[in-house]
Amino acid sequence: MTNPSRYTARVTAQTENASRRQDGIEPLQDILAVARRLFTTIGYQKTTVAEIAAELGKSPAHVYRFFDSKRAINEAVAELLLSQIGDELEVIAAGNSPPPERLAAFLLALSELSERHFMTNSRVNDMVEDAMAESWGVCLRYIQRVEGLIRTIVEEGQTSGDFSVEDAAAGASCVKTTMVCFMHPTMMALSAEHARPEIEQVIAYALRGLGAKPGR
């Protein structure tokens, strides 16, 4: 399993370059902190770079030294949020409980964290949706991380005999796919309007698909 990620290892190439251009005038993290607060209170669409700069007591030109557009700022803010969710999930994946129990806890946490961050605040939902739509890399990196953590648990279950699935990679991919309506903001919003199964039902289905032994 990989070591817990750090924000600087997962930001976009543009953000990494921006951090290297810093000259001590204003930490990059301060720009992102202000942007995140405004995006989640005023809304991404309504927030301007000028407003972000004003909150920092700087000119828009200062912000543009680090990011070439509001879209780039949103991408970095969204990736920071998704990275934080991934860090919480990684703690669960690294636990010592039996793989079936751990996977169930992981999937339940994935659903609960997604609900908390994406659905309780429509402005956060809009911010992440826009970032995912405009910058597929943000979405892809998050999905790959989640699937990788699931695969780690499945592989451990293979070794311990708790799972009988032959291909851990395929099994993890299938489990991740069953969770789309519980982890992707757009699909969460759409599926909530229809009769989607309860998360507990999805977890039980995933465990059966992996060949979890009864009672484990």
Side-chain angles (χ1 to χ4, degrees):
M1 176 175 295
T2 58
N3 292 327
S5 67
R6 295 293 181 269
Y7 168 62
T8 53
R10 290 188 171 274
V11 292
T12 61
Q14 178 183 17
T15 307
E16 291 175 351
N17 291 336
S19 67
R20 288 194 290 268
R21 293 199 301 269
Q22 291 186 74
D23 56 8
I25 297 176
E26 186 68 54
L28 179 66
Q29 289 77 7
D30 286 351
I31 296 176
L32 296 179
V34 169
R36 180 172 180 172
R37 176 167 56 80
L38 293 178
F39 290 167
T40 57
T41 54
I42 299 174
Y44 168 63
Q45 296 296 342
K46 294 182 178 180
T47 300
T48 66
V49 173
E51 289 171 324
I52 294 172
E55 287 289 316
L56 292 165
K58 302 291 181 179
S59 69
H62 170 77
V63 177
Y64 283 122
R65 291 181 59 247
F66 298 90
F67 299 96
D68 60 17
S69 65
K70 188 177 76 169
R71 168 183 169 180
I73 298 174
N74 188 48
E75 178 180 335
V77 170
E79 188 145 23
L80 175 59
L81 171 61
L82 294 175
S83 181
Q84 290 171 341
I85 294 174
D87 289 345
E88 293 191 54
L89 294 172
E90 193 156 333
V91 172
I92 297 173
N96 296 319
S97 58
E101 180 181 325
R102 200 182 331 150
L103 182 59
F106 180 95
L107 298 179
L108 181 61
L110 176 58
S111 173
E112 292 178 344
L113 288 168
S114 299
E115 183 72 24
R116 182 194 313 163
H117 287 288
F118 304 150
M119 305 307 291
T120 58
N121 186 331
S122 62
R123 293 186 176 90
V124 175
N125 187 301
D126 292 343
M127 178 189 76
V128 177
E129 278 193 327
D130 285 333
M132 287 182 166
E134 296 177 352
S135 304
W136 174 243
V138 172
C139 182
L140 183 60
R141 283 187 290 274
Y142 176 63
I143 292 173
Q144 289 176 333
R145 185 179 185 189
V146 169
E147 185 173 330
L149 293 173
I150 294 173
R151 179 175 178 175
T152 297
I153 301 174
V154 174
E155 288 175 339
E156 291 182 18
Q158 278 184 313
T159 301
S160 65
D162 286 294
F163 295 140
S164 62
V165 63
E166 295 182 359
D167 188 332
S173 181
C174 288
V175 172
K176 178 262 298 179
T177 301
T178 65
M179 290 295 295
V180 169
C181 290
F182 296 91
M183 63 181 286
H184 191 291
T186 302
M187 295 305 298
M188 289 176 69
L190 292 174
S191 64
E193 300 175 0
H194 302 283
R196 73 180 181 189
E198 297 295 327
I199 183 60
E200 291 78 10
Q201 294 174 303
V202 173
I203 292 173
Y205 183 85
L207 292 176
R208 287 197 300 272
L210 294 171
K213 303 297 188 294
R216 292 194 181 189

